[in-house]
Amino acid sequence: MNTLRCEHRCESGLWIKLIQGDITLESVDAIVNAANSQLAHGGGVAAAIARRGGPEIQRESDRWVAQHGPVPTGGVAMTGAGQLPSKAVIHAVGPIWRGGQADEDSNLRSAVWESLQLADRQGFTSIALPAISAGIFGFPVERCAQILLKTTRQFAEEHPQSSLREVRVVLYDQPTLDVFEREFRRLFPIQAE
């Protein structure tokens, strides 16, 4: 069972929530997959989403790449959600960490922003994001937390009329959650337990 750790309501009315648990169990309009450019869902969050959602997610992903080519770093693609309790999966291609000298920060910011923007264009009201690039792509967790949370806050400020009403950051492992919770409490003065 997923557990709310903290939440913040932006002036626009958008809720940003930090959730401990399994992103594949979230009943939201879209869940974000931390994907690679080929949308080959073989490891990390991507493998968990593909396993729980069923083979149709990989089949749709393969068709998307065949039709459009690889997803660029910082970009997104969308497929159905298969058997997941969401309407869609937004596949966000975050950067592989190369020491911070290869535009990783702006590419991560772009992956988060593009995910939120695509959800808004679809008229979605809720979305769940993992710690994009902080797993097997090696992006430093604290830096990831700062970029992901600040980008979400900035999106809420710049798009007060967005259809999005709730952004959930869903993290499974305790060390990553601890880092995100510290950053959340630093960035957002108001939160509930």
Side-chain angles (χ1 to χ4, degrees), residues 6 60 87 97 101 124 167:
C6 21
E60 278 189 56
K87 294 178 184 174
W97 182 252
Q101 305 306 310
F124 294 159
V167 175

Side-chain angles (χ1 to χ4, degrees), residues 13-142:
L14 175 87
W15 283 94
I16 302 173
K17 298 183 177 185
L18 185 63
I19 309 285
Q20 181 175 19
D22 182 345
I23 197 167
T24 67
L25 301 177
E26 288 292 312
S27 292
V28 289
D29 289 337
I31 63 170
V32 174
N33 175 25
N36 57 48
S37 291
Q38 294 296 327
L39 303 185
H41 311 309
V45 171
I49 288 171
R51 247 190 330 273
R52 175 101 10 114
E56 54 265 38
I57 293 176
Q58 187 61 66
R59 281 197 298 268
E60 278 189 56
S61 297
D62 293 342
R63 279 197 300 273
W64 197 98
V65 171
Q67 193 172 19
H68 304 282
V71 182
T73 302
V76 296
M78 190 172 76
T79 65
Q83 295 151 32
L84 296 169
S86 56
K87 294 178 184 174
V89 177
I90 295 173
H91 305 276
V93 180
I96 296 171
W97 182 252
R98 302 191 190 288
Q101 305 306 310
D103 223 13
E104 294 99 316
D105 287 2
S106 64
N107 280 321
L108 179 56
R109 212 173 284 112
S110 176
V112 174
W113 189 272
E114 293 293 320
S115 297
L116 299 172
Q117 201 163 51
L118 179 54
D120 181 42
R121 282 199 309 270
Q122 294 294 318
F124 294 159
T125 60
S126 58
I127 188 171
L129 295 111
I132 299 167
S133 287
I136 56 178
F137 281 12
F139 203 98
V141 175
E142 187 171 323

Side-chain angles (χ1 to χ4, degrees), residues 146-165:
Q146 291 168 1
I147 291 169
L148 193 149
L149 294 170
K150 285 179 181 175
T151 302
T152 302
R153 181 178 63 189
Q154 182 185 357
F155 184 88
E157 289 167 354
E158 291 184 19
H159 296 86
Q161 303 303 317
S162 169
S163 63
L164 280 173
R165 300 289 85 205

